Amino acid sequence: MRASRLPFPKFFRGTAMSPEQGAFRALADPTRREILKHLSRSDMTIAEVADLFDVTRGAIKKHLVILEQGQLISVEAKGRERLNRLRPHGLKAATDWLSYFDRFWDDKLAALGQVIDAANSTKKDNDNE
Amino acid sequence: MRASRLPFPKFFRGTAMSPEQGAFRALADPTRREILKHLSRSDMTIAEVADLFDVTRGAIKKHLVILEQGQLISVEAKGRERLNRLRPHGLKAATDWLSYFDRFWDDKLAALGQVIDAANSTKKDNDNE
DNA sequence: CAGATGTGATACCTTTTGGTATCGCATCAA
DNA sequence: TTGATGCGATACCAAAAGGTATCACATCTG
C-alpha cells in the first residue's frame, strides 16, 4: 500500500524543516528557481506562472507549495485567485549557510578569514562547530 | 524494463548540468551539506566520512559522487584510498545565483540596488507592472 | 440565475533519490 | 604469500519528486 502519495515528505510531516533545508530543497529544481526570478519582478497567480512554462497548472501548483514550505514565497488569497509573492528573506537562509564557505572560494577573503581565525584563536583552531 | 538504475539522471547523462543546477542539487540533502562542512576542515577518505554518519559506506559514496558531479568536491586517488577534497569554488555557482536576490532581502542593499538599476537603465526597463 | 473560470484536491504514473546488502578487486601489511 | 582492508560496482528496495488527467468547489460575470 505504501501509504501512498502523502502531501509532505516524512521528515516534514509533523515537525519543521530547518530553514536552510526548506530553502535548498526548493532551490534544487530549475523550474522553481525560474519561478522565483519571475516572482521577483511581480506577484503572480498560479495560472499566470503556469503560462510561462510548458507544464500543467497542477505541476506549477506543486512547485509553489514547495516554495511556500521553504518560506521562499507567501500566498495571499485575493478573491477567487491566489497571489504568489516572493518572500526574499527566505533566501537569506541559503545565503547565510553558504557564507560559511566564503573564505574558501574567495582568495582575497581567504587571507582575511585566516587573519580573523588567527586573531580569534591565538592558540589553535580546536573544534569549531 | 524501465532502463533501470542508470548511474545518472537523464538530464545529466550525455550533456552537462548548469553549474548552479549541480550545486543546488548537491546542496539539497542535509547529509551532503554536513559532509561539505567536514571537508572544509580536512580532506577525508570515504571511510573517514562514513564514520561521521549513521549510514553505510555505500550511501556515503553516492553522496560523494553527487557532490563531485556538482563540482563541489574533487577526488584524488591516493594509493588504495581516495581522498575527497572540498572544491569551494563550486559553491560560488550557488552564491552567484542567489546574489541576484540580495537587493530584495537586504533593505540597505535594496536602496543601493535601485540606484544602480536606475543608473543602468535610465531609459528602458518599463516591462514590470 | 446560469455559465465560465481559477483553484484545490485526488488518483495515478514514471523517474530519481537515498538507503541497504553483497561481491569482487586492488593494495597494503604481516 | 596470505590475509586484512578500502573501494568500486551491482542489485535491490521504499520513498520522494515531478508530472498528467480529472473532478469538485468557490467565485466572478453575463
Side-chain angles (χ1 to χ4, degrees):
Chain A
M1 186 66 81
R2 281 174 73 189
S4 59
R5 303 309 96 214
L6 283 153
F8 300 109
K10 268 193 288 193
F11 63 89
F12 192 56
R13 289 195 305 270
T15 55
M17 262 195 258
S18 74
E20 78 270 12
Q21 175 58 37
F24 281 123
R25 176 168 81 119
L27 289 168
D29 185 87
T31 300
R32 286 194 291 267
R33 290 199 303 277
E34 262 199 78
I35 291 175
L36 288 178
K37 288 230 170 187
H38 285 294
L39 290 182
S40 79
R41 295 192 262 277
S42 65
D43 303 344
M44 285 191 277
T45 65
I46 295 181
E48 285 170 341
V49 176
D51 282 345
L52 300 170
F53 296 90
D54 205 25
V55 295
T56 59
R57 255 186 318 128
I60 294 296
K61 172 60 162 57
K62 287 192 187 181
H63 284 310
L64 290 170
V65 166
I66 291 175
L67 287 168
E68 194 181 6
Q69 289 173 0
Q71 316 254 68
L72 267 37
I73 66 169
S74 61
V75 184
E76 179 195 346
K78 190 166 188 290
R80 170 171 54 176
E81 310 182 348
R82 291 171 63 80
L83 215 49
N84 300 276
R85 168 171 301 139
L86 184 66
R87 212 146 101 57
H89 198 76
L91 288 166
K92 195 172 179 307
T95 300
D96 285 348
W97 192 91
L98 286 168
S99 71
Y100 171 83
F101 294 92
D102 285 353
R103 74 187 69 179
F104 298 110
W105 61 259
D106 187 320
D107 291 337
K108 297 180 287 298
L109 280 180
L112 178 60
Q114 282 159 16
V115 169
I116 291 172
D117 281 351
N120 281 348
S121 60
T122 328
K123 39 185 183 296
K124 190 174 185 175
D125 71 294
N126 29 26
D127 55 333
N128 39 2
E129 169 61 23
Chain B
M1 184 68 84
R2 281 175 68 189
S4 58
R5 307 305 96 217
L6 283 154
F8 299 109
K10 267 192 289 195
F11 64 87
F12 192 57
R13 290 195 303 270
T15 56
M17 260 194 258
S18 73
E20 77 272 10
Q21 176 58 38
F24 281 123
R25 176 168 82 117
L27 289 169
D29 184 87
T31 300
R32 287 195 290 268
R33 290 199 303 276
E34 261 199 80
I35 291 175
L36 288 178
K37 288 229 170 186
H38 285 295
L39 289 181
S40 80
R41 295 192 260 277
S42 65
D43 304 344
M44 286 191 276
T45 65
I46 295 181
E48 286 172 340
V49 176
D51 282 346
L52 301 170
F53 296 90
D54 204 25
V55 294
T56 59
R57 254 190 316 127
I60 294 295
K61 172 60 161 57
K62 287 193 187 178
H63 284 309
L64 290 169
V65 166
I66 291 176
L67 287 168
E68 194 180 7
Q69 289 173 2
Q71 316 253 69
L72 266 37
I73 66 169
S74 62
V75 184
E76 179 195 347
K78 189 162 188 291
R80 171 172 50 175
E81 311 182 347
R82 292 171 63 81
L83 215 48
N84 301 276
R85 169 171 300 140
L86 183 66
R87 211 148 101 56
H89 198 75
L91 288 167
K92 194 172 179 306
T95 299
D96 285 349
W97 191 90
L98 286 168
S99 72
Y100 171 82
F101 293 93
D102 285 353
R103 72 188 68 179
F104 298 110
W105 60 259
D106 188 321
D107 291 337
K108 296 178 289 299
L109 281 179
L112 178 60
Q114 282 160 15
V115 169
I116 291 173
D117 280 351
N120 281 348
S121 62
T122 327
K123 42 189 178 299
K124 52 168 186 176
D125 165 58
N126 311 324
D127 57 317
N128 41 8
E129 51 198 61

